[in-house]
Amino acid sequence: EIKSEYGVPAYIVSILQGPDHWMIADGRGKMWRLDTETKEYVEIMHFHAGRINDLALPMEVNVAVSLGSDGVIKLWDYVKNVEVYTRRFEGEGLCMDWMPASDKNQG
């Protein structure tokens, strides 16, 4: 069970499986890295002050796109631990997805 430093369990909204780890999106605004061999986990970064409704973790690049309950969408470089882009929308977004690059969507 993944818990914060205050003992609050993670509210998992998304998981991306890597070769030796999982990246786990926490609906409470955090992203975790879980080592699949040792089962040890570490908080990678904190995204939003409130709840995250969805998180997209593309395999091609080291970024995450988070969708907050406040209508804010953010693009994060989680290796450099920086926010790259932010945009606020009217109303609450419920879900999103990352469209992987292909020959058909290059323009």
Side-chain angles (χ1 to χ4, degrees):
E1 181 177 37
I2 296 176
K3 292 185 178 182
S4 74
E5 65 274 16
Y6 304 111
V8 178
Y11 176 70
I12 298 172
V13 295
S14 180
I15 298 175
L16 177 68
Q17 295 179 336
D20 61 351
H21 66 281
W22 291 359
M23 299 299 286
I24 301 170
D26 183 341
R28 293 185 174 89
K30 299 179 180 188
M31 185 165 70
W32 304 88
R33 183 185 192 280
L34 172 72
D35 184 301
T36 54
E37 187 174 314
T38 66
K39 306 299 185 238
E40 293 180 3
Y41 60 89
V42 63
E43 181 184 322
I44 300 296
M45 61 189 321
H46 196 100
F47 291 98
H48 293 263
R51 188 178 81 239
I52 291 178
N53 286 347
D54 206 356
L55 187 75
L57 298 166
M59 294 288 289
E60 304 87 5
V61 289
N62 293 321
V63 298
V65 182
S66 59
L67 176 63
S69 60
D70 56 0
V72 174
I73 189 167
K74 296 182 179 189
L75 174 69
W76 302 86
D77 181 328
Y78 59 79
V79 172
K80 295 178 181 175
N81 197 19
V82 295
E83 182 181 316
V84 178
Y85 178 81
T86 273
R87 183 165 178 188
R88 180 176 298 277
F89 293 91
E90 292 296 321
E92 179 177 8
L94 300 176
C95 61
M96 66 177 176
D97 204 355
W98 181 271
M99 187 165 81
S102 73
D103 290 337
K104 296 180 181 179
N105 67 359
Q106 291 185 3

